[in-house]
Amino acid sequence: LRTFLRSDSRLSVRQAARVSSSLFFGIAGLVAWFLPIAGLPVSLIGIGFGVLHLSELPQRRFARIGIWLNVIALMASTANAAVGAYMGYSGMMFQGF
């Protein structure tokens, strides 16, 4: 990532941070989906950063990749929350204890 960003002389450090913010939140969202209380906000913030910086930056590839990673993390986190809510409602969550 650094060598690719360094090779483009048009990007400043601030622009490079903007480009990689959505990508960073996408990777963090893929890790955080196990806990829906952490995965949902991380992926929503990442989608917001990606959409916000998609039109103003010269390197749109990282923003698009970040948006897709965040959408995947949002779907996984939502599915995890739905399964957990169902298990809690039906009493299946603490049967083994």
Side-chain angles (χ1 to χ4, degrees):
L1 180 66
R2 284 186 183 189
T3 55
F4 181 76
L5 292 176
R6 239 186 265 153
S7 67
D8 191 4
S9 61
R10 296 177 297 166
L11 288 177
S12 67
V13 174
R14 188 175 190 164
Q15 287 176 331
R18 285 183 182 175
V19 168
S20 60
S21 64
S22 178
L23 185 63
F24 169 76
F25 277 104
I27 294 169
L30 289 177
V31 174
W33 74 269
F34 288 105
L35 295 172
I37 198 162
L40 289 172
V42 167
S43 58
L44 289 175
I45 290 170
I47 290 171
F49 276 143
V51 170
L52 181 68
H53 300 304
L54 188 62
S55 62
E56 69 184 45
L57 295 171
Q59 295 290 336
R60 296 181 184 175
R61 183 178 331 155
F62 291 120
R64 286 182 185 154
I65 292 170
I67 289 171
W68 281 108
L69 289 176
N70 283 303
V71 166
I72 292 168
L74 181 66
M75 291 186 328
S77 187
T78 303
N80 188 11
V83 168
Y86 172 74
M87 288 177 67
Y89 177 73
S90 65
M92 294 176 14
M93 188 171 289
F94 300 111
Q95 282 184 349
F97 297 110

